[in-house]
Amino acid sequence: MYKDCWVDNKGIHIHFIEANADKKEEAPLVIIPGLSESAEDYIAIIEKLSPRHCIIITLRGRGKSDTPETGYTLYDHVSDIDAVVQHLKLRNFFLFGYSRSVSYVLQYALNNKTIIKGLIIGDYPAIHTQLPQGWVEFFSSLPPWRGKPLSERMSMTALHNIQKESSQVLFWDDLSSIECPVLIIRAGKQGAALSVEAAEQYTEKMPQANIVVFDESDHNLFEPHIDPLIQTMETFMDKCPAGK
């Protein structure tokens, strides 16, 4: 059904899971997990999306990908996406980013507008934030995410360098150059990372964007049930024009 794969990104081995590689009837979906997540966290999603061709990328410093001593900027992370896309020779695909990975997805889409069929933005504004001093301690103190403690998800080397090498990048003024269909999923409960105002800002810049609110979810869009996420994504992808 799916297989573990790796690609060499300038000496850094990036892990990804690929499912249904032989299925060409529908446009592929590339998933970029959230800050501390890895490809394994999204296996249930690609199983439910079967038989669509799906690729889940584990970014550097997480899961089975390498953990370099440095190299955790926005652009380093974007290069991980590009390495997998180039390796698989993907074109005309959907790209889904969740939480902080929305910034990686947006930068990648701005760099590669002609090959993106559609964007799915998971509960995050169009901002790559500069993480303040003390963020590592705060993030490390959070409860286990989706059943796994942080120590099993990523190394402290990666966590410290993500904070150290972060810098603020605002994407709002560039969004109007994205012309593909866009789905924005916003959590409706307290704890959402995408505010009502920021969601409206997305649609001001990208009038083609459609907002769906998950009233029963906080920032964790996968709870209390995963089916609304699957159905929302499938509906969006199925409705996108065949050519683009």
Side-chain angles (χ1 to χ4, degrees):
M1 187 85 162
Y2 57 86
K3 60 181 180 179
D4 286 295
C5 308
W6 281 262
V7 64
D8 187 322
N9 181 15
K10 299 179 181 177
I12 300 168
H13 293 93
I14 300 300
H15 170 248
F16 64 97
I17 288 176
E18 185 175 23
N20 302 310
D22 58 330
K23 303 297 182 182
K24 307 298 182 185
E25 294 82 7
E26 300 175 310
L29 170 66
V30 176
I31 298 173
I32 312 302
L35 193 149
S36 67
E37 296 177 327
S38 58
E40 289 81 3
D41 291 306
Y42 288 75
I43 288 174
I45 289 178
I46 63 173
E47 286 178 342
K48 287 180 175 289
L49 289 172
S50 184
R52 185 182 293 273
H53 181 197
C54 292
I55 300 97
I56 321 165
I57 302 174
T58 302
L59 298 171
R60 59 186 59 209
R62 289 84 156 173
K64 296 177 182 177
S65 288
D66 283 353
T67 301
E69 289 299 317
T70 60
Y72 291 88
T73 68
L74 166 67
Y75 306 101
D76 292 320
H77 285 89
V78 171
S79 77
D80 293 343
I81 302 173
D82 191 56
V84 176
V85 171
Q86 294 298 325
H87 175 71
L88 296 176
K89 298 180 172 60
L90 298 176
R91 293 293 183 272
N92 200 35
F93 60 92
F94 293 102
L95 186 57
F96 169 40
Y98 169 66
S99 192
R100 186 173 176 83
S101 288
V102 165
S103 63
Y104 309 141
V105 162
L106 288 175
Q107 185 63 64
Y108 180 85
L110 289 166
N111 293 349
N112 299 275
K113 301 185 189 78
T114 61
I115 64 173
I116 304 293
K117 183 179 179 68
L119 276 180
I120 303 174
I121 293 169
D123 198 53
Y124 208 76
I127 301 171
H128 186 69
T129 56
Q130 182 168 4
L131 301 170
Q133 293 294 326
W135 173 83
V136 173
E137 292 72 21
F138 162 75
F139 195 74
S140 302
S141 70
L142 295 176
W145 177 253
R146 297 175 70 182
K148 279 189 190 177
L150 183 64
S151 60
E152 295 180 15
R153 293 187 166 278
M154 61 193 304
S155 74
M156 292 304 292
T157 295
L159 203 62
H160 279 284
N161 280 296
I162 286 171
Q163 184 274 318
K164 181 180 178 181
E165 299 181 37
S166 66
S167 59
Q168 180 170 279
V169 179
L170 303 178
F171 298 101
W172 298 115
D173 290 342
D174 297 322
L175 294 181
S176 58
S177 67
I178 295 176
E179 298 179 351
C180 68
V182 179
L183 169 65
I184 298 165
I185 304 174
R186 183 176 71 80
K189 294 179 69 175
Q190 185 175 2
L194 181 62
S195 67
V196 174
E197 294 76 19
E200 291 174 349
Q201 200 168 353
Y202 268 121
T203 56
E204 288 172 7
K205 301 295 184 178
M206 299 184 294
Q208 79 277 24
N210 181 40
I211 299 174
V212 175
V213 181
F214 284 9
D215 291 323
E216 296 184 20
S217 298
D218 54 19
H219 183 53
N220 184 358
L221 299 177
F222 316 95
E223 297 290 345
H225 309 290
I226 198 172
D227 287 344
L229 178 62
I230 300 299
Q231 293 164 4
T232 300
M233 292 171 65
E234 282 189 318
T235 298
F236 169 73
M237 291 188 289
D238 289 346
K239 286 184 177 180
C240 281
K244 188 67 179 165

